Amino acid sequence: MEQTPPIRFAESRGARIAYQDWGSGPPVVAIPPAAQNIEAAWEWPSLRQMFERFGSFCRYVHYDKRGTGSSDRSVRVPHVDDRVDDLKAVMDAAGIERAHLFAQSEGGVTTLLFAAAYPHRVESLVMVGSGARIFTHELTADERAEQIAIRTMFAQVWGTPDSLAVPLFAPSRVDDDEFRTWFQRYERLSAGYESLRDLLIQMIDMDATDVIGEIEAPMLVIHRSGDQAMPIEVGRELADRAREATFIELPGDDHFAFLGDLDSWMTPMERFVTGTVQ
C-alpha cells in the first residue's frame, strides 16, 4: 500500500473514536492494547508490513480507544464497559455486522466481554499475547499497592529516554537506538501521563474469566513463551477455560506481535480466519 488508509471517526457516548479500514475479505476488527496511535503506527516498517499482510487476506479495521492516539484525547479514558460500547460503535460505523475479533495485550478483556454480550456479532476470536486478565491470582492489598506504584512510575517516564516500555515489551530491541528513539515519540503520540496511568491502574483489576465459558465462538490463542508483560500462563488459562480453543506456543520474548517472525503467528491466523493461506 502506497498510502495509509484515511482516519474516520465513530461517535460513541460523546466521544469520537478514530479508526481505519482497509483490505478485502472476511472482516477482522482489532481491539486496541493499552495505548497506541493507528496513524503513527504505519511509520515503523514491521508494523506497516503487518498491516499490509492483514489487508492481503481480510478487511481489517483497527481503532484507538478514547483518550488515546488519534481518538478524542480531551475525554477521560474509558472503563471496560465503555470500551465494549466503543467497539460496537466502531463496528456500526464501519458497517460490519459480524467479524473476527483480534486482540493483543489488555485488549483481550474487552474482546471477551464483547463476545459474551454480543455473540451474534462475533465469528471468532484471535488472541495474541493476551488473556482474560493480567495476573493469574488475586492480588493482596500489599501487591496491589506495589503495582500502583510501579505503574505510576512507568507512566512518569513514558515518552522519555528513560521509558521502560521497550525493555518490557520489546526486549529484542533494547540495543536498537533507532527503534527506541522512534518508540519514545510513538509513546508521546499515543497517550499522556494521566491517561496512561489511569489505563495501567485499571488493568490491575480487569478480569473477564467469568465470561469465558459463555463464549460460543471458536478461539485461536497464540502466545510467546518468554513474554514478561503478559505471561504465557494467562494465555494457557484462557485456552483451557474456553469451549473451543486452539493454543499455539511460540518462542520469543517480545510482547509486541509486530516484532520477530510475523509468519509464525500470522500464517496460522490467516488459515484460522479464511480456511487457507495465500
Side-chain angles (χ1 to χ4, degrees), residues 49-70:
Q49 182 183 357
M50 182 181 76
F51 294 152
E52 291 177 342
R53 172 75 181 271
F54 276 126
S56 72
F57 70 84
C58 70
R59 177 189 174 191
Y60 191 78
V61 174
H62 65 177
Y63 66 97
D64 290 331
K65 63 166 61 83
R66 68 173 72 197
T68 70
S70 296

Side-chain angles (χ1 to χ4, degrees), residues 212 219 221 233-248:
I212 298 173
M219 296 186 200
V221 182
E233 287 77 16
V234 300
R236 289 199 184 103
E237 177 188 51
L238 172 60
D240 288 344
R241 288 174 176 253
R243 292 188 184 186
E244 181 184 348
T246 299
F247 182 75
I248 299 176

Side-chain angles (χ1 to χ4, degrees), residues 6 10 21 28 43 47 94 116-117 143 147 149 175 186 214 217 222:
D21 180 354
V28 172
E43 297 172 356
L47 268 166
E143 288 174 329
Q147 282 296 320
D175 296 324
Y186 183 70
E214 301 174 15
I222 303 174

Side-chain angles (χ1 to χ4, degrees), residues 64-224:
D64 290 331
K65 63 166 61 83
R66 68 173 72 197
T68 70
S70 296
S71 293
D72 286 351
R73 292 178 65 169
S74 61
V75 298
R76 67 173 180 82
V77 296
H79 291 284
V80 176
D81 290 344
D82 296 320
R83 298 183 201 183
V84 171
D85 291 341
D86 291 349
L87 169 54
K88 181 176 180 295
V90 169
M91 289 179 65
D92 290 344
I96 296 174
E97 181 59 31
R98 186 176 174 89
H100 301 271
L101 302 183
F102 171 53
Q104 300 178 77
S105 195
E106 68 137 11
V109 175
T110 301
T111 304
L112 294 167
L113 294 174
F114 183 91
Y118 300 101
H120 60 288
R121 304 200 66 172
V122 179
E123 191 70 37
S124 75
L125 292 81
V126 179
M127 315 284 280
V128 177
S130 190
R133 55 182 175 174
I134 306 301
F135 303 101
T136 56
H137 69 282
E138 186 174 347
L139 300 184
T140 66
D142 287 344
E143 288 174 329
R144 192 176 188 281
E146 181 182 18
Q147 282 296 320
I148 291 174
I150 291 172
R151 289 160 189 266
T152 298
M153 180 188 66
F154 189 99
Q156 286 172 338
V157 296
W158 178 258
T160 76
D162 298 321
S163 172
L164 301 171
V166 172
L168 179 61
F169 301 135
S172 70
R173 296 300 184 100
V174 165
D175 296 324
D176 185 336
D177 291 338
E178 182 182 6
F179 180 78
R180 290 182 69 110
T181 299
W182 176 79
F183 199 78
Q184 289 160 20
R185 174 176 173 271
Y186 183 70
E187 291 170 23
R188 295 189 295 272
L189 294 172
S190 298
Y193 162 72
E194 290 187 0
S195 295
L196 183 70
R197 181 180 181 274
D198 286 350
L199 286 166
L200 294 176
I201 291 175
Q202 280 186 35
M203 289 168 60
I204 297 173
D205 300 315
M206 288 171 57
D207 190 339
T209 53
D210 287 347
V211 306
I212 298 173
E214 301 174 15
I215 298 172
E216 298 178 358
M219 296 186 200
L220 176 62
V221 182
I222 303 174
H223 222 104
R224 287 175 176 154

